[in-house]
Amino acid sequence: MKKIDLVNIIPGNECNLACSHCANESGPKYKNTLSTSEISNIVDLLNRYKVEKVIFTGGEPTLYIDTINDIFSKLKYRPEVSITTNGVLVLEEGPQVLDRFLYLDHIQLSYDPYHGVDDIRLIKKIKDYSVKGDIGFNISYCVKEPKDLITVNNLQQSFDVDVIYERITKSGRAKKTGVHFEFQFFEESVLNEICPNKESLTYIQGSGWSHCCSNMVFNKNSLVTTNENFDEFIESPFYKNSINKTIGEISKLSSLDTKFSPDDSLICNACEKAFCGN
Amino acid sequence: MKSKLVIALIAAGMFSQVNSAEVYVDNLDEKTQNLLLKSLENEDIEKSPKVALATGPKGGREAQDKKSNQKKNLV
């Protein structure tokens, strides 16, 4: 890999919410965090590639500020830093909690009905904080069905803020709870798609590096989809096939006689089916 | 209105096939169809990108890209 555009870091699964659509089943019961060797591993890769954009998610990144700052303190350059937060700590303790991040250039507020935090004061608080500190701000909204876009539009209009939306895949808790985007028909065009994460990486606490950030790493399967050693990971069949072959080609390669269902119209769902079968 | 809404849903990245969008629209009451079409025809939502898979369900790439344009000279 010559270039890495973006690294997404999951420092652990601890979260102050346990959302029904959470892609990696985070929640309050988890207390896992990056070990010293994992931090060194991340720092080495960031320094080696001078990755420009680093995003911290989770779990909830505001519960991992010390760990995140530990990474920053070891970097030999200054990346552009973003967090994706549910904002609960901002509601409870005030936006000054965000001052504790050594670097912070962008806040993405994960806000939708599936979080169970229906408090629009949160949006205003973070927006005010971002304007005051000249920090980027947007809302990320998970869509279970298209009519959720009515709310997306209302949020954009009411708060004059960018709201980006995504369809919920059958990853993690979403797969178990059924809170995911549903289709009536299998849209075959997905068979011609290729995973777009060729130059993006995710580090998952306790697992290691992967370009996958959804079903294949968060739903239990028998394939090796992560590796603590980045150089070994990019030589893995999973990585090579995933970024070079279409979903249809992967499906043929795996020879599993896969039957795609309507919900496999989303590439992450189809990818899992192509690699792992029904 | 139905065909307009079908096209708008595909343009918004909700479906890639017409029959998927049509079935969805058929199951909505008229009031919701109107509201949804109005929302989708809003210029802002058309500009609003879908989240890239690069950061998956946690989102963020487009937001980051937008911020890059305004990025200050850091350190």
Side-chain angles (χ1 to χ4, degrees):
Chain A
M1 190 180 268
K2 291 178 182 170
K3 186 172 170 258
I4 303 173
D5 284 342
L6 179 153
V7 164
N8 174 36
I9 298 170
I10 299 174
N13 293 87
E14 185 178 2
C15 187
N16 27 30
L17 300 175
C19 302
S20 55
H21 65 336
C22 184
N24 61 2
E25 301 194 57
S26 295
K29 70 177 180 181
Y30 298 102
K31 302 296 173 196
N32 53 326
T33 188
L34 295 166
S35 66
T36 308
S37 67
E38 286 183 297
I39 289 174
S40 295
N41 188 345
I42 291 166
V43 168
D44 286 348
L45 182 122
L46 294 178
N47 281 334
R48 179 172 152 194
Y49 283 90
K50 297 280 186 292
V51 180
E52 192 183 346
K53 295 170 189 171
V54 182
I55 300 177
F56 291 91
T57 60
E60 168 52 41
T62 56
L63 301 177
Y64 288 97
I65 297 178
D66 291 341
T67 305
I68 291 169
N69 284 342
D70 196 14
I71 292 172
F72 293 153
S73 69
K74 293 177 168 68
L75 290 179
K76 294 176 181 165
Y77 75 108
R78 166 71 155 92
E80 187 177 315
V81 174
S82 176
I83 59 167
T84 301
T85 176
N86 60 34
V88 168
L89 216 57
V90 171
L91 263 186
E92 289 175 355
E93 298 181 14
Q96 64 275 13
V97 71
L98 301 169
D99 290 341
R100 289 181 52 218
F101 283 101
L102 206 54
Y103 305 143
L104 187 56
D105 304 302
H106 192 99
I107 303 164
Q108 174 158 268
L109 175 65
S110 187
Y111 186 92
D112 55 53
Y114 314 109
H115 282 83
V117 180
D118 187 18
D119 191 336
I120 55 171
R121 289 176 306 163
L122 178 58
I123 300 173
K124 190 168 182 328
K125 276 188 181 188
I126 297 184
K127 186 180 176 186
D128 289 348
Y129 179 85
S130 71
V131 169
K132 197 175 165 189
D134 192 23
I135 293 170
F137 173 55
N138 77 286
I139 294 172
S140 168
Y141 196 102
C142 287
V143 172
K144 184 177 180 293
E145 60 172 308
K147 70 180 179 185
D148 288 345
L149 295 179
I150 296 169
T151 315
V152 169
N153 185 49
N154 288 340
L155 284 173
Q156 286 195 167
Q157 298 300 310
S158 306
F159 293 95
D160 189 26
V161 58
D162 282 338
V163 184
I164 58 176
Y165 53 89
E166 62 175 309
R167 294 172 294 177
I168 306 171
T169 68
K170 293 166 90 168
S171 175
R173 200 174 287 126
K175 189 172 185 177
K176 296 174 181 170
T177 58
V179 179
H180 53 77
F181 196 92
E182 293 176 7
F183 291 82
Q184 296 295 318
F185 301 102
F186 174 55
E187 298 189 338
E188 291 192 3
S189 57
V190 74
L191 296 175
N192 299 318
E193 291 183 32
I194 298 178
C195 176
N197 290 359
K198 192 170 185 173
E199 291 171 347
S200 304
L201 276 178
T202 294
Y203 188 90
I204 303 163
Q205 188 280 332
S207 298
W209 297 105
S210 186
H211 65 301
C212 177
C213 54
S214 189
N215 300 37
M216 286 298 287
V217 286
F218 297 133
N219 292 345
K220 287 186 175 68
N221 64 67
S222 56
L223 285 183
V224 177
T225 56
T226 58
N227 195 318
E228 270 292 327
N229 185 312
F230 165 75
D231 295 305
E232 286 178 11
F233 174 72
I234 59 172
E235 292 302 320
S236 67
F238 171 61
Y239 175 71
K240 285 186 169 177
N241 286 329
S242 178
I243 61 155
N244 291 315
K245 296 186 188 306
T246 64
I247 297 296
E249 288 168 338
I250 292 167
S251 182
K252 280 182 190 160
L253 196 70
S254 60
S255 306
L256 293 166
D257 192 26
T258 302
K259 299 279 184 290
F260 289 97
S261 64
D263 292 340
D264 298 324
S265 302
L266 282 183
I267 186 170
C268 296
N269 298 342
C271 177
E272 183 180 14
K273 196 70 82 68
F275 273 110
C276 305
N278 292 98
Chain B
M1 183 183 68
K2 183 185 165 184
S3 60
K4 263 185 158 179
L5 184 51
V6 166
I7 291 166
L9 284 170
I10 291 171
M14 292 291 103
F15 303 103
S16 58
Q17 283 184 200
V18 170
N19 58 350
S20 291
E22 279 178 342
V23 169
Y24 179 75
V25 171
D26 285 342
N27 287 321
L28 296 176
D29 60 57
E30 200 173 326
K31 188 183 169 192
T32 309
Q33 285 185 16
N34 271 317
L35 269 172
L36 185 53
L37 182 59
K38 205 174 164 186
S39 296
L40 291 170
E41 283 180 335
N42 183 291
E43 204 177 305
D44 288 343
I45 204 167
E46 279 178 13
K47 285 181 196 161
S48 186
K50 293 166 287 298
V51 174
L53 289 165
T55 49
K58 301 288 182 177
R61 169 174 265 188
E62 280 85 356
Q64 283 283 296
D65 290 343
K66 283 183 182 178
K67 179 62 185 171
S68 296
N69 299 329
Q70 320 155 13
K71 191 183 173 188
K72 292 176 291 184
N73 194 11
L74 302 164
V75 176

